Amino acid sequence: MLPTNFYVIQTEAGDMIRDVKSMLRIAIIRLEDSNFEPNPTELQFYSKYNEGHIVFETVNIRDYLRPLVAAALQWYADRIGYPDMYISTEDPRPSLKAV
Protein backbone atom coordinates (compact mmCIF):
# COMPACT_ATOMS: atom_id res chain seq x y z
CA MET A 1 0.00 0.00 0.00
CA LEU A 2 1.29 3.45 -0.87
CA PRO A 3 1.83 5.88 1.99
CA THR A 4 -0.76 8.63 2.03
CA ASN A 5 -0.72 12.17 3.22
CA PHE A 6 -4.50 12.55 3.26
CA TYR A 7 -6.54 13.88 6.15
CA VAL A 8 -10.09 15.15 6.74
CA ILE A 9 -10.90 18.64 8.00
CA GLN A 10 -14.22 20.14 8.99
CA THR A 11 -15.33 23.32 7.26
CA GLU A 12 -18.48 25.42 7.46
CA ALA A 13 -19.75 23.62 4.36
CA GLY A 14 -18.89 20.13 5.68
CA ASP A 15 -15.97 17.74 5.65
CA MET A 16 -13.12 17.98 3.18
CA ILE A 17 -10.37 15.57 2.17
CA ARG A 18 -6.97 17.26 1.90
CA ASP A 19 -3.52 16.11 0.85
CA VAL A 20 -0.57 17.49 2.80
CA LYS A 21 1.92 17.69 -0.07
CA SER A 22 -0.16 18.55 -3.13
CA MET A 23 -2.90 20.52 -1.35
CA LEU A 24 -5.55 18.53 -3.23
CA ARG A 25 -8.97 19.38 -1.80
CA ILE A 26 -12.16 17.34 -2.17
CA ALA A 27 -15.40 18.51 -0.56
CA ILE A 28 -17.71 15.83 0.89
CA ILE A 29 -21.37 16.85 0.64
CA ARG A 30 -24.48 14.96 1.77
CA LEU A 31 -26.92 15.32 -1.11
CA GLU A 32 -29.99 15.11 1.12
CA ASP A 33 -28.75 18.04 3.23
CA SER A 34 -27.96 20.48 0.43
CA ASN A 35 -29.06 22.02 -2.83
CA PHE A 36 -25.92 20.80 -4.54
CA GLU A 37 -25.25 22.13 -8.03
CA PRO A 38 -22.16 20.64 -9.70
CA ASN A 39 -19.41 23.07 -10.64
CA PRO A 40 -18.60 22.39 -14.31
CA THR A 41 -14.90 23.12 -13.78
CA GLU A 42 -14.56 20.50 -11.02
CA LEU A 43 -14.77 16.71 -10.82
CA GLN A 44 -17.76 15.11 -9.09
CA PHE A 45 -18.10 11.55 -7.82
CA TYR A 46 -21.19 10.13 -6.12
CA SER A 47 -21.74 7.32 -3.65
CA LYS A 48 -24.38 5.79 -1.41
CA TYR A 49 -23.53 5.86 2.29
CA ASN A 50 -25.48 5.59 5.57
CA GLU A 51 -28.96 5.56 4.09
CA GLY A 52 -28.18 8.53 1.87
CA HIS A 53 -25.95 9.80 -0.89
CA ILE A 54 -22.78 11.80 -0.81
CA VAL A 55 -20.93 13.68 -3.49
CA PHE A 56 -17.20 14.25 -3.60
CA GLU A 57 -16.36 17.45 -5.49
CA THR A 58 -12.84 18.69 -6.11
CA VAL A 59 -11.97 22.27 -5.17
CA ASN A 60 -9.81 24.25 -7.59
CA ILE A 61 -8.55 21.07 -9.25
CA ARG A 62 -5.39 21.27 -11.32
CA ASP A 63 -4.64 18.80 -14.10
CA TYR A 64 -1.57 17.43 -12.32
CA LEU A 65 -3.74 16.60 -9.26
CA ARG A 66 -6.30 14.47 -11.14
CA PRO A 67 -4.38 11.19 -10.65
CA LEU A 68 -4.52 11.69 -6.85
CA VAL A 69 -8.33 11.88 -6.72
CA ALA A 70 -8.89 8.11 -6.97
CA ALA A 71 -6.31 7.45 -4.25
CA ALA A 72 -7.93 10.06 -2.00
CA LEU A 73 -11.40 8.57 -2.45
CA GLN A 74 -10.12 5.05 -1.75
CA TRP A 75 -8.31 6.34 1.34
CA TYR A 76 -11.54 7.98 2.56
CA ALA A 77 -13.60 4.81 1.96
CA ASP A 78 -11.04 2.82 3.95
CA ARG A 79 -11.00 5.46 6.70
CA ILE A 80 -14.77 5.29 7.24
CA GLY A 81 -14.73 1.49 7.24
CA TYR A 82 -16.39 1.05 3.86
CA PRO A 83 -13.52 -0.10 1.59
CA ASP A 84 -15.91 -1.53 -1.02
CA MET A 85 -17.74 1.80 -1.47
CA TYR A 86 -19.16 2.07 -4.97
CA ILE A 87 -18.22 5.44 -6.43
CA SER A 88 -19.66 6.68 -9.72
CA THR A 89 -19.63 9.80 -11.87
CA GLU A 90 -23.41 9.55 -12.31
CA ASP A 91 -25.62 11.74 -10.13
CA PRO A 92 -28.06 9.41 -8.30
CA ARG A 93 -30.72 12.07 -7.72
CA PRO A 94 -33.86 11.62 -9.80
CA SER A 95 -34.33 14.18 -12.49
CA LEU A 96 -36.95 16.73 -11.48
CA LYS A 97 -36.83 18.74 -14.68
CA ALA A 98 -40.07 19.26 -16.57
CA VAL A 99 -40.10 17.99 -20.13
Side-chain angles (χ1 to χ4, degrees), residues 4-54:
T4 62
N5 296 302
F6 302 117
Y7 61 100
V8 174
I9 63 169
Q10 292 181 337
T11 68
E12 288 181 18
D15 289 345
M16 182 176 290
I17 302 168
R18 300 277 309 255
D19 178 52
V20 173
K21 291 183 179 180
S22 70
M23 298 309 292
L24 171 70
R25 295 181 293 168
I26 304 172
I28 304 167
I29 304 157
R30 286 187 48 82
L31 288 178
E32 289 79 12
D33 298 341
S34 72
N35 292 324
F36 175 73
E37 287 296 323
N39 181 335
T41 63
E42 300 295 339
L43 303 175
Q44 295 84 28
F45 298 93
Y46 302 88
S47 183
K48 211 177 212 186
Y49 182 67
N50 279 349
E51 306 297 322
H53 293 88
I54 54 177

Side-chain angles (χ1 to χ4, degrees), residues 36-80:
F36 175 73
E37 287 296 323
N39 181 335
T41 63
E42 300 295 339
L43 303 175
Q44 295 84 28
F45 298 93
Y46 302 88
S47 183
K48 211 177 212 186
Y49 182 67
N50 279 349
E51 306 297 322
H53 293 88
I54 54 177
V55 61
F56 301 97
E57 184 174 59
T58 59
V59 178
N60 298 323
I61 190 74
R62 303 285 183 249
D63 284 341
Y64 66 90
L65 294 175
R66 290 175 185 259
L68 284 177
V69 174
L73 297 181
Q74 182 61 57
W75 171 85
Y76 182 76
D78 290 342
R79 180 182 183 274
I80 62 171

